[in-house]
Amino acid sequence: MKIIRAKDYNDMSRKAANIISAQIIMKPNCVLGLATGSTPIGTYAQLVDWYKKGDLDFSEVTTVNLDEYKGLTRDNDQSYYYFMNDNLFSKVNIDLNKTFLPDGTEPDSNKACSDYNKIIADVGGVDLQLLGLGHNGHIGFNEPGMAFEAETHCVDLTESTMKANQRFFASMDDVPKQAYTMGIKTIMQAKKILVVVSGEDKASIVKEAFFGPITPKVQASVLQLHNDVTLVADEAALSLVK
Ligand code: GLP
């Protein structure tokens, strides 16, 4: 695993965006695996900036997102589709027909998940997967204990994840209780993985996930087994790592 130390959040965002840009320049028709959460927002903003300066072209890029809340429509401002549109898709020249997320409005979980697995297979798999890191070590919405063999599946969100998400909703009752997420198996099949982490509150999980034992209790620990992972983290997130 390659670790890139960034000074702060902005530096982390720029360095991560650099790696994504390199991927797009080297392979204009690449498949990017994208993530939501607050951490990658700066990375997307930097990509938009470079696009506006004429340095990046998204016209041939395909994207597949990690996850989506079950039950939220695309126009719900807390859906991950809305997030992606707001932070990236509407601001660059990407072809919306080449942007994919699990269908949160599909009530049949088996169908939603098998449809999404098929989409990922049809686009030829992911060239570069961007990941954030949950406080409990989750990636996508793969919560502690989930089998590493899982492909896209429907998850019951843990109490701690729902609490972490509560800040975005009017009340705890509005926080979705389930989500569709790529599984660890799907994520591990990406050719390259880029993890972005920022902040002191993530320091202990960074240490556990990347320097502790590989265990389903800490889903991100499986990334230690992938042969092309780059972790871009700021000083605060790396403060417990020598
Ligand atoms: C959510 C997302 C994850 C994300 C995590 C961390 O649960 N499903 O993909 O990595 O939050 O979010 P943040 O970057 O806001 O800490």
Side-chain angles (χ1 to χ4, degrees), residues 25 52 62 129 242:
I25 291 165
K52 285 187 177 149
T62 295
Q129 176 68 57
K242 287 271 170 310

Side-chain angles (χ1 to χ4, degrees), residues 1 5 10 19-20 24 28 44 51-52 65 71 77 96 103 118 123 131 139 158 177 187 209-210 217 238 241-242:
M1 185 177 52
R5 248 172 214 273
N10 287 341
I19 293 169
I20 298 171
I24 298 171
Y44 295 138
Y51 163 74
K52 285 187 177 149
N65 260 77
D77 66 2
L96 287 178
D103 181 1
K118 185 169 181 319
V123 299
L131 296 176
I139 44 180
T158 62
K177 294 177 179 53
I187 293 169
F210 300 109
K217 284 186 207 145
L238 289 170
V241 177
K242 287 271 170 310

Side-chain angles (χ1 to χ4, degrees), residues 20 24 28-34 44 47-48 51-52 56-65 81 84-101:
I20 298 171
I24 298 171
N29 63 347
C30 64
V31 177
L32 298 178
L34 298 179
Y44 295 138
L47 290 172
V48 169
Y51 163 74
K52 285 187 177 149
L56 270 181
D57 176 13
F58 287 82
S59 60
E60 290 179 56
V61 171
T62 295
T63 65
V64 285
N65 260 77
Y81 180 85
M84 288 312 305
N85 207 39
D86 201 32
N87 286 289
L88 185 68
F89 299 160
S90 67
K91 296 179 173 163
V92 296
N93 65 335
I94 201 159
D95 176 355
L96 287 178
N97 295 315
K98 291 191 193 136
T99 62
F100 301 96
L101 285 91

Side-chain angles (χ1 to χ4, degrees), residues 143-201:
E143 299 280 25
M146 173 57 59
F148 285 156
E149 290 80 18
E151 297 190 284
T152 308
H153 57 280
C154 179
V155 279
D156 295 327
L157 300 177
T158 62
E159 205 56 38
S160 81
T161 299
M162 287 195 283
K163 278 206 185 107
N165 291 340
Q166 192 189 345
R167 63 198 150 119
F168 303 115
F169 294 87
S171 76
M172 195 64 181
D173 284 345
D174 295 323
V175 182
K177 294 177 179 53
Q178 289 186 308
Y180 297 135
T181 183
M182 279 189 199
I184 294 296
K185 183 175 169 190
T186 332
I187 293 169
M188 289 294 278
Q189 282 165 349
K191 293 191 189 82
K192 293 187 198 123
I193 293 180
L194 169 62
V195 192
V196 285
V197 195
S198 168
E200 212 181 330
D201 54 319

